[in-house]
RNA sequence: CGGAGUGUGGCUCAGUCUGGUAGAGCACCGCGUUCGGGACGCGGGGGUCGCAGGUUCAAAUCCUGCCACUCCGACCA
């Protein structure tokens, strides 16, 4: 993409409304524009990042055996009356009447819809397990939206729903999501800690929140250091095998956020293993049994010929929140530092003397080579001063900066800067391209 | 929903106390000089001062009401 033809409205100063660093940087980098409290338009750069994250989530869901669908944003109130939640949900639900005075709502989540889909088609235990997910906009009319897209009213969520014949099966489904989530966050360059969450009325131990560590997080996290440092399981696990031991390895070590914190257990750990940090909740997985399947009569016939409500779980990732969370976890005084998997562009070519034939030629060559290599480069071909280009490149946080100036070109070299480390090397173009393309 | 604050050009803000012809920096347009960390000079365009009422010869400024946004708290699959 040539910057001269792109739409990337960067700001030198952050709008006063933005209080936290991710919000400030998203506005300065021209990623989003606020349209109302907690409601944002996604500009080209922000949309690219959103889609990158979405794709990582999608790939890890698919790998773990979940199947993508797309449910509507607008839902029928009748379904929520069936589950009993229409009245319970309160003012956070945005309720709508259509022209026929039918009660509709903008979905804050999709248990009812997915349960309705499931019950319409699946009747036998032989068709289980199933895990259906979608990545769709949700709306929750928060009393106080804040912190940009971190806590918006409209937000993009990946929500998956598992269906199993019995509790043992549900636990397997849960374990798959548990490990898949760790892989998602690891791919996005984040340190994620699964903490025990309030399981709600169902009880049991099958509810975890995933907190990523960032100094500006909303919650306090207490965890065993070994758990934080353990790393993700990686893609090469046997998703159809017994994931119990792998999950147990990660849930046996202490980890809790403030509301579930057990100070006594924490203090019992060796001091050098105790870790407290700030965290941002970016995922929540949940087993809730027949909470929806029973009232909504999502029944499957078992081997004994009897109908029983299907066992369900739900698994949410805040995709749009992750955009902000990554920035909170990865930035410096000059701007955003994108991990490769979330970066809007793989590299940026900085033409320090647009209009100079020799410099233009090297830039074009670099741009073409990076494009051909699938790096999806941004080319800053604007007629602007070097300082402005450096500042913009740092601000938007693209992993590699390929800096092409007249002096270097005369000597047959370019400069390659790594945004994350700040490391620079002055090398021939070929070497720089090789470094970027791996 | 309780408490606090803020609304002045695209952005950051001054001006409001003490009423008297709407300002600065950045951004934008033109010309020129520049060109390795957000350049400089000259010239230029852009604002019903959140909205509605009221007071006054005169309102960004004083009064009343409303709206929006932000922060703290409560709330939060």
């Amino acid at each position: 993409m040539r910057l001269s033809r792109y739409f990337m409205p960067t700001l030198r100063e952050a709008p006063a409304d933005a209080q936290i660093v991710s919000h400030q940087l998203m506005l300065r980098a021209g990623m989003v524009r606020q349209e109302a409290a907690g409601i944002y338009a996604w500009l080209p750069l922000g949309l690219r990042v959103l889609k990158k994250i979405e794709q990582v989530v999608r790939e890890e869901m698919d790998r773990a055996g979940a199947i993508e669908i797309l449910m509507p944003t607008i839902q029928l109130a009748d379904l929520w009356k069936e589950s009993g939640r229409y009245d319970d949900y309160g003012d956070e639900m945005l309720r709508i009447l259509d022209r026929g005075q039918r009660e509709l709502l903008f979905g804050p989540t999709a248990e009812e819809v997915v349960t309705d889909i499931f019950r319409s088609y699946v009747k036998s235990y032989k068709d289980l397990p199933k895990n259906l997910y979608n990545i769709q906009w949700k709306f929750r009319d928060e009393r106080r939206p804040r912190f940009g897209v971190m806590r918006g009213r409209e937000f993009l969520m990946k929500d998956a729903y598992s269906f199993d014949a019995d509790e043992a099966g549900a636990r397997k489904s849960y374990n798959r999501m548990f490990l898949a989530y760790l892989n998602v966050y690891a791919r996005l360059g984040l340190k994620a800690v699964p903490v025990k969450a309030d399981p709600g009325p169902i009880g049991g131990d099958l509810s975890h929140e995933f907190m990523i560590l960032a100094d500006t997080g909303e919650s306090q996290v207490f965890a065993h250091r070994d758990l934080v440092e353990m790393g993700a399981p990686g893609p090469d696990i046997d998703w159809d095998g017994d994931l119990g031991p792998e999950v147990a390895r990660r849930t046996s070590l202490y980890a809790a956020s403030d509301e579930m914190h057990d100070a006594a257990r924490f203090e019992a750990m060796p001091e050098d293993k105790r870790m407290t940090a700030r965290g941002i909740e970016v995922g929540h997985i949940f087993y809730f049994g027949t909470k929806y399947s029973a009232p909504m009569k999502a029944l499957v016939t078992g081997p004994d010929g009897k109908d029983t409500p299907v066992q369900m779980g739900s698994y949410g990732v805040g995709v749009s929140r992750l955009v902000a969370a990554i920035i909170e976890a990865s930035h410096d005084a000059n701007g955003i530092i994108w991990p490769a998997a979330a970066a809007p562009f793989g590299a940026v070519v900085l033409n320090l003397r647009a209009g100079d034939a020799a410099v233009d030629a090297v830039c074009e060559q670099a741009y073409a080579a990076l494009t051909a290599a699938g790096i999806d480069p941004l080319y800053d071909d604007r007629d602007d001063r070097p300082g402005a280009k450096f500042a913009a490149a740092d601000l938007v946080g693209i992993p590699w900066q390929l800096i092409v100036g007249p002096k270097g070109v005369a000597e047959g070299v370019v400069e390659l800067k790594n945004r994350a480390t700040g490391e620079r090397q002055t090398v021939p173009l070929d070497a720089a391209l090789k470094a970027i393309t791996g």
Side-chain angles (χ1 to χ4, degrees):
Chain A
M1 177 59 65
R2 289 168 196 274
L3 191 45
S4 62
R5 298 177 196 170
Y6 202 43
F7 181 53
M8 191 179 88
T10 58
L11 299 172
R12 289 184 72 157
E13 291 176 285
D17 282 350
Q19 298 292 322
I20 62 167
V21 67
S22 61
H23 191 195
Q24 293 171 345
L25 288 173
M26 286 181 76
L27 293 173
R28 286 192 54 208
M31 294 176 64
V32 290
R33 172 182 165 75
Q34 181 168 0
E35 293 295 337
I39 299 177
Y40 292 83
W42 291 77
L43 305 182
L45 201 70
L47 183 59
R48 275 179 172 258
V49 174
L50 194 64
K51 285 186 173 296
K52 284 289 187 75
I53 295 171
E54 187 182 312
Q55 188 55 25
V56 168
V57 172
R58 176 176 289 117
E59 287 170 11
E60 295 306 321
M61 285 297 106
D62 292 348
R63 200 195 304 280
I67 302 156
E68 186 170 13
I69 60 176
L70 184 59
M71 293 182 274
T73 53
I74 303 296
Q75 306 178 5
L76 220 46
D78 287 351
L79 285 177
W80 288 69
K81 289 178 178 169
E82 267 193 76
S83 73
R85 284 208 292 180
Y86 192 62
D87 293 327
D88 293 349
Y89 218 92
D91 290 339
E92 268 197 27
M93 180 185 281
L94 181 62
R95 295 153 204 262
I96 307 165
L97 289 180
D98 71 8
R99 64 169 76 196
Q101 304 305 303
R102 241 180 310 273
E103 292 175 290
L104 304 174
L105 57 101
F106 197 122
T109 176
E111 280 81 3
E112 281 79 359
V113 176
V114 80
T115 302
D116 181 53
I117 292 169
F118 179 87
R119 70 180 173 182
S120 303
Y121 302 105
V122 181
K123 303 295 181 187
S124 164
Y125 77 96
K126 293 177 187 168
D127 293 325
L128 298 180
K130 282 281 177 287
N131 183 324
L132 303 177
Y133 77 98
N134 78 162
I135 300 172
Q136 177 65 290
W137 292 93
K138 304 295 191 292
F139 193 93
R140 295 181 190 170
D141 200 356
E142 299 267 357
R143 286 200 173 126
R144 185 149 94 81
R146 61 188 119 170
F147 305 146
V149 300
M150 188 81 83
R151 192 175 193 71
R153 291 194 290 174
E154 188 179 49
F155 58 96
L156 188 62
M157 181 164 89
K158 185 286 299 177
D159 40 319
Y161 304 90
S162 64
F163 302 88
D164 286 276
D166 52 33
E167 192 183 332
R171 182 175 285 272
K172 285 185 184 171
S173 294
Y174 185 92
N175 287 344
R176 269 196 278 274
M177 291 293 104
F178 185 101
L179 296 176
Y181 272 37
L182 291 175
N183 283 342
V184 166
Y185 303 126
R187 276 186 65 183
L188 293 172
L190 299 167
K191 280 202 168 168
V193 184
V195 303
K196 230 184 221 329
D198 183 353
I202 305 294
D205 58 351
L206 292 185
S207 177
H208 286 87
E209 291 175 346
F210 291 79
M211 314 289 296
I212 67 157
L213 302 185
D215 294 340
T216 48
E218 283 189 87
S219 322
Q220 189 75 32
V221 176
F222 305 85
H224 195 289
R225 191 171 296 276
D226 292 354
L227 176 61
V228 178
E229 302 301 335
M230 196 174 284
D236 299 326
I237 48 182
D238 177 9
W239 293 101
D240 294 320
D242 182 7
L243 302 176
E246 183 64 30
V247 172
R249 200 160 77 82
R250 296 161 184 280
T251 50
S252 55
L253 291 170
Y254 185 80
S257 59
D258 24 25
E259 62 258 30
M260 296 288 285
H261 184 46
D262 178 347
R265 267 195 70 192
F266 187 65
E267 301 295 335
M269 302 190 315
E271 186 158 4
D272 64 328
K273 296 296 187 190
R274 282 180 231 158
M275 184 167 170
T276 62
R278 302 299 294 179
I280 301 168
E281 185 195 334
V282 289
H284 193 163
I285 62 176
F286 216 88
Y287 163 69
F288 46 69
T290 61
K291 181 175 175 186
Y292 302 94
S293 56
M296 293 183 69
K297 299 192 172 51
L299 309 176
V300 288
T301 307
D304 56 3
K306 285 185 184 159
D307 288 351
T308 50
V310 69
Q311 296 285 324
M312 293 176 61
S314 78
Y315 315 89
V317 170
V319 176
S320 49
R321 173 180 285 188
L322 267 171
V323 178
I326 290 170
I327 296 172
E328 290 291 333
S330 180
H331 67 272
D332 65 15
N334 294 326
I336 302 166
I337 302 172
W338 291 114
F345 294 96
V348 56
V349 177
L350 300 188
N351 184 332
L352 297 192
R353 191 70 65 83
D356 177 296
V359 177
D360 287 352
V362 173
C363 286
E364 291 291 345
Q365 189 189 340
Y367 179 54
L370 290 170
T371 301
I375 298 297
D376 197 7
L378 180 66
Y379 172 24
D380 190 344
D381 59 339
R382 296 172 303 172
D383 179 19
D384 213 336
R385 295 174 59 83
K389 298 193 177 195
F390 292 135
D394 284 349
L395 174 62
V396 303
I398 296 166
W400 293 102
Q401 295 175 15
L402 185 59
I403 302 162
V404 184
K407 290 175 199 160
V409 166
E411 297 165 18
V413 292
V414 297
E415 187 177 0
L416 182 64
K417 176 178 165 184
N418 181 300
R419 177 66 182 92
T421 63
E423 197 180 321
R424 302 152 178 277
Q425 41 184 313
T426 302
V427 293
L429 179 60
D430 283 352
L433 294 175
K434 205 164 287 174
I436 295 171
T437 57

